């Protein structure tokens, strides 16, 4: 590779575009603020209003706290759909990330205040900010690589380390800050750190000139998505229309029988599903259609995975606080710090897991993204076996050892590494460039639905007990993962070789490049 006269965005460090490290750092600080806050949330809500040495909490019951936690962690990711659309239609991914970072600084800033309005306003702003930032920064990572560049998976694994470095630092530091100066100091720290993310992103712009730019719509451009037109065509597509109406009726039924929040959520999901159906219909070739279908099917795994995994910040967090012996060498470890196990294990094992899969693939063994994702679900599911042991020990002796938690988080993490970075990369391989931001948004929304499921399952522990819940999750996840492994062959056929023939490519090979275009290697 020649190194002469390279423009900043073409320069590389350790074989990866420098832009990757700018996005890595921005996301690292953003995740610091997000995970720092997430670790505190249920604990803050369930602390008595009289308070303890961390200051007064909101005095809510476990069930109330987990319900809000479920809505919050869901909305944070569901907002990725409008976030992706705003990037596509109005400002481009690069500016959407900038806007998201600014809104996040405001949100965390507001959370420093102790009033209840500030609590809700702050959460609302964080939801908007993450929705703008998270899907678009991930799409920008994909945009750094050309079609078929094998460095893409590794790039996403490195980016994933950034995410978890942020999470690790947050859960180590925020717990200590809260123990020393109280809840709102913890929230404030998240805000300061987000400001660092913003500064870092603005300063690194020259390395990102090639990605995330807004292209104003040209008239009759085939690459332009018109959501209005797609919904318009729905009216002329009888099958899709009937399906949409049925979903709408179910949503309205949900509105009346459950809370209004569920009604709104179902209506939103109906709108998204009908949009996806129309996009499928509009895709030009069978290759595009098949890939789109397989991507949507893989989202089932995504929902199941996060539905189980997200017990971490909710039920497992509360379990740690009240039922785990946290004393190590005479020091009681703050509950929040257990949240750092996941991130710590990611940093330790991310490259090990990525190299394991790469080696397998080189040996000609199964290494498709779908396979990795299914294996990931099963491994994560087995983590709950240790939580079952923890619950059994508690029933017997009135406390449970922290070793079960450590093992559970270890398995959860290995599972996450098989699924999450792989899924991000998979989307950017399978989606035509036109729909890249939208589909990244849909992916995060699927993880958000998983979080909501996690909240509902966690709440059910009040009625059924932790033992039953942990055992149920174990059984269910192993069944779903195994089903996908059994269906691997037909599903892989539908990807039409999107992951075959990947090779190393560098940024000075071409000036402009785009995300996966199936026609390039499927004639
Ligand atoms: N832990 C990962 C992150 O924060 C994945 C979260 C998700 O996809 N829901 O980015």
């Amino acid at each position: 590779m020649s190194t002469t006269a390279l423009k900043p965005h073409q320069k590389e460090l350790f074989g990866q575009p420098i832009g990757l490290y700018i996005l890595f750092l921005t996301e690292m600080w953003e995740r610091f603020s997000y995970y720092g806050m997430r670790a505190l949330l249920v604990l803050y809500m369930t602390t008595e209003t009289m308070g303890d040495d961390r200051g007064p909490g909101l005095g809510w019951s476990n069930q109330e706290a987990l319900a809000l936690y479920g809505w919050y962690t869901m909305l944070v990711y569901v907002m990725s759909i409008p976030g992706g659309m705003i990037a596509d239609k109005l400002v481009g991914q690069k500016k959407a990330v900038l806007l998201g970072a600014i809104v996040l600084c405001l949100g965390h800033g507001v959370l420093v205040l102790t009033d209840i309005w500030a609590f809700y306003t702050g959460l609302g702003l964080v939801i908007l900010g993450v929705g703008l930032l998270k899907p678009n920064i991930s799409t920008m990572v994909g945009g750094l690589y050309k079609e078929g560049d094998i460095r893409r998976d590794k790039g996403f694994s490195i980016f994933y380390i950034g995410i978890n470095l942020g999470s690790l630092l947050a859960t180590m530091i925020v717990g200590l800050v809260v123990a020393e100066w109280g809840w709102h100091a913890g929230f404030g720290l998240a805000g300061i750190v987000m400001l660092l993310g913003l500064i870092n992103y603005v300063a690194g712009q020259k390395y990102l000139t090639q990605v995330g730019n807004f292209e104003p719509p040209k008239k009759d451009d085939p690459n332009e998505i018109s959501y209005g037109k797609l919904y318009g065509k729905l009216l002329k597509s009888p099958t899709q229309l009937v399906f949409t109406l049925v979903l709408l009726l179910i949503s309205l039924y949900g509105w009346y029988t459950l809370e209004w929040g569920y009604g709104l959520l179902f209506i939103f999901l109906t709108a998204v599903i009908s949009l996806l159906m129309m996009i499928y219909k509009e895709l030009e070739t069978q290759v595009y259609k098949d890939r789109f279908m397989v991507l949507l099917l893989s989202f089932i795994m995504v929902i199941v995975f996060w539905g189980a995994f997200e017990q971490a910040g909710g039920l497992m967090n509360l379990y740690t606080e009240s039922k785990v012996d946290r004393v190590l060498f005479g020091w009681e470890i703050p509950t929040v710090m257990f949240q750092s196990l996941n991130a710590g294990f990611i940093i330790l094992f991310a490259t090990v897991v990525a190299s394991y899969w790469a080696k397998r693939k080189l040996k000609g063994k199964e290494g498709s993204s779908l396979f990795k994702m299914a294996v990931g679900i099963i491994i994560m599911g087995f983590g709950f076996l240790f939580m079952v042991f923890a619950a059994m020990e508690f029933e017997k002796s009135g406390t449970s050892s922290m070793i079960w938690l450590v093992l559970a988080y270890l398995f959860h993490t290995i599972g996450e590494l098989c699924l999450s970075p792989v899924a991000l990369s998979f989307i950017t391989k399978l989606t035509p460039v036109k729909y890249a931001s939208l589909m990244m948004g849909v992916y995060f929304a699927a993880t958000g639905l998983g979080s909501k499921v996690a909240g509902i399952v966690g709440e059910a522990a009040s009625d059924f007990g932790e033992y039953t819940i942990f055992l149920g999750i174990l059984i269910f996840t192993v069944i779903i993962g195994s089903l996908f492994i059994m269906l691997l062959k037909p599903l892989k056929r539908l990807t039409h070789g999107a992951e075959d023939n990947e090779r190393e490519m560098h940024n000075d090979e071409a000036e402009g490049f785009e995300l996966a275009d199936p026609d390039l290697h499927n004639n």
Side-chain angles (χ1 to χ4, degrees):
M1 186 187 73
S2 94
T3 47
T4 47
L6 288 182
K7 300 196 178 115
H9 76 263
Q10 293 173 317
K11 288 193 182 148
E12 292 178 1
L13 187 65
F14 305 122
Q16 292 283 350
I18 292 186
L20 174 67
Y21 303 102
I22 303 297
L23 300 176
F24 172 105
L25 289 172
T26 310
E27 181 63 342
M28 180 179 95
W29 295 125
E30 185 268 332
R31 290 287 95 184
F32 182 115
S33 66
Y34 175 73
Y35 280 108
M37 233 286 276
R38 170 180 171 277
L40 298 183
L41 207 52
V42 289
L43 302 177
Y44 171 65
M45 289 186 282
T46 52
T47 298
E48 292 299 316
T49 45
M50 304 286 289
D52 51 24
D53 44 10
R54 298 169 293 191
L58 297 181
W60 295 4
S61 70
N62 278 8
Q63 223 165 343
E64 286 168 326
L66 286 176
L68 187 120
Y69 178 79
W71 280 113
Y72 168 75
T73 47
M74 181 198 77
L75 283 175
V76 154
Y77 290 119
V78 163
M79 272 298 150
S80 295
I81 294 184
M85 285 177 168
I86 288 172
D88 268 343
K89 302 297 290 175
L90 297 174
V91 291
Q93 290 132 12
K94 200 156 33 190
K95 283 206 184 117
V97 170
L98 180 70
L99 209 63
I102 295 171
V103 174
L104 278 169
C105 288
L106 289 175
H108 289 293
V110 171
L111 281 169
V112 177
L113 307 175
T114 50
D115 307 83
I116 192 74
W117 69 262
F119 179 67
Y120 285 115
T121 311
L123 290 188
L125 288 170
V126 173
I127 288 168
L128 287 180
V130 176
L132 280 166
L133 189 145
K134 182 86 171 138
N136 292 315
I137 199 167
S138 311
T139 313
M140 282 174 76
V141 174
L144 293 170
Y145 306 94
K146 287 170 230 165
E147 162 74 19
D149 189 339
I150 202 166
R151 297 178 309 158
R152 180 192 299 260
D153 272 7
K154 191 136 181 239
F156 271 103
S157 288
I158 294 174
F159 181 68
Y160 215 72
I161 293 178
I163 288 175
N164 286 282
L165 207 52
S167 164
L168 176 70
L169 292 172
T171 42
M172 300 294 282
I173 299 171
V174 169
L176 295 176
V177 166
V178 168
E180 192 67 27
W181 291 290
W183 300 113
H184 295 277
F187 293 142
L189 180 66
I192 294 171
V193 161
M194 193 54 235
L195 203 58
L196 287 179
L198 178 61
I199 293 169
N200 156 83
Y201 183 66
V202 172
Q205 284 301 306
K206 67 174 185 228
Y207 298 106
L208 296 169
T209 47
Q210 80 280 37
V211 273
N213 298 311
F214 180 58
E215 311 233 339
K218 288 179 216 104
K219 225 177 168 286
D220 298 326
D221 179 353
N223 270 331
E224 179 60 19
I225 323 176
S226 164
Y227 295 113
K229 264 193 204 150
L230 282 170
Y231 280 118
K233 285 187 184 163
L234 179 65
L235 298 175
K236 293 180 213 140
S237 315
T239 322
Q240 285 80 357
L241 187 62
V242 169
F243 194 68
T244 304
L245 289 175
V246 171
L247 288 179
L248 207 57
L249 282 177
I250 297 175
S251 306
L252 293 176
Y253 181 72
W255 189 305
Y256 286 110
T257 49
L258 303 165
E259 293 164 40
W260 61 269
Y262 281 103
L264 278 184
L265 173 66
F266 292 163
I267 291 174
F268 175 76
L269 290 179
T270 303
V272 173
I273 291 170
S274 54
L275 182 66
L276 293 176
M277 282 191 302
M278 292 318 292
I279 290 177
Y280 178 83
K281 199 167 173 231
E282 288 293 295
L283 288 171
E284 282 145 25
T285 64
Q286 197 54 38
V287 172
Y288 279 122
K289 285 185 196 283
D290 287 350
R291 287 182 171 179
F292 194 71
M293 188 52 87
V294 85
L295 194 61
L296 293 181
L297 287 172
S298 76
F299 287 177
I300 296 177
M301 285 199 272
V302 170
I303 296 176
V304 171
F305 181 89
W306 293 105
F309 180 95
E310 279 292 325
Q311 297 303 332
L315 183 62
M316 285 170 70
N317 207 5
L318 289 172
Y319 190 85
T320 311
E321 171 109 324
S322 59
K323 299 192 172 161
V324 173
D325 176 11
R326 290 180 278 118
V327 179
L328 188 68
F329 305 123
W331 179 56
E332 181 165 68
I333 305 172
T335 305
V336 171
M337 283 183 89
F338 281 87
Q339 296 294 310
S340 46
L341 283 169
N342 170 236
F345 284 143
I346 293 238
I347 292 160
L348 284 179
F349 295 115
T351 46
V352 179
V353 173
S355 316
Y356 169 77
W357 288 118
K359 269 194 206 130
R360 251 184 88 93
K361 202 166 186 180
L362 285 178
K363 280 190 203 152
K365 290 191 189 159
E366 181 58 56
S368 60
S369 296
L370 290 165
F371 180 68
K372 293 180 201 170
M373 289 164 78
V375 169
I377 291 197
I378 296 176
I379 296 178
M380 183 273 305
F382 268 104
F384 281 96
L385 185 60
F386 301 108
M387 293 312 295
V388 169
F389 291 155
M392 282 162 67
E393 192 191 348
F394 183 81
E395 266 160 40
K396 232 169 142 191
S397 64
T399 181
S400 46
S401 155
M402 64 176 101
I403 188 71
W404 303 126
L405 271 182
V406 175
L407 288 170
Y409 283 128
L410 175 65
F411 275 64
H412 284 187
T413 306
I414 305 288
E416 180 185 354
L417 282 171
C418 295
L419 181 133
S420 188
V422 172
L424 291 176
S425 179
F426 194 52
I427 296 163
T428 67
K429 284 176 199 169
L430 248 62
T431 313
V433 62
K434 178 171 164 179
Y435 297 112
S437 303
L438 176 70
M439 291 313 289
M440 193 58 92
V442 175
Y443 165 76
F444 279 113
T447 74
L449 288 182
S451 303
K452 181 70 191 136
V453 172
I456 296 169
V457 174
E459 279 177 67
S462 315
D463 297 328
F464 299 102
E466 282 100 351
Y467 172 84
T468 313
I469 297 295
F470 293 145
L471 185 65
I473 297 176
L474 165 66
I475 296 170
F476 186 70
T477 46
V478 172
I479 290 177
I480 295 290
S482 310
L483 264 179
F484 270 89
I485 291 184
M486 282 180 329
L487 291 173
L488 195 65
K489 256 200 181 154
L491 288 176
K492 259 178 70 182
R493 220 173 295 131
L494 293 180
T495 66
H496 295 273
E499 298 189 297
D500 299 345
N501 308 322
E502 288 179 326
R503 69 183 178 89
E504 192 149 324
M505 289 186 225
H506 292 273
N507 291 344
D508 55 350
E509 285 180 26
E511 258 298 294
F513 41 87
E514 292 200 328
L515 296 171
D517 177 355
D519 287 342
L520 287 177
H521 52 185
N522 279 287
N523 299 319

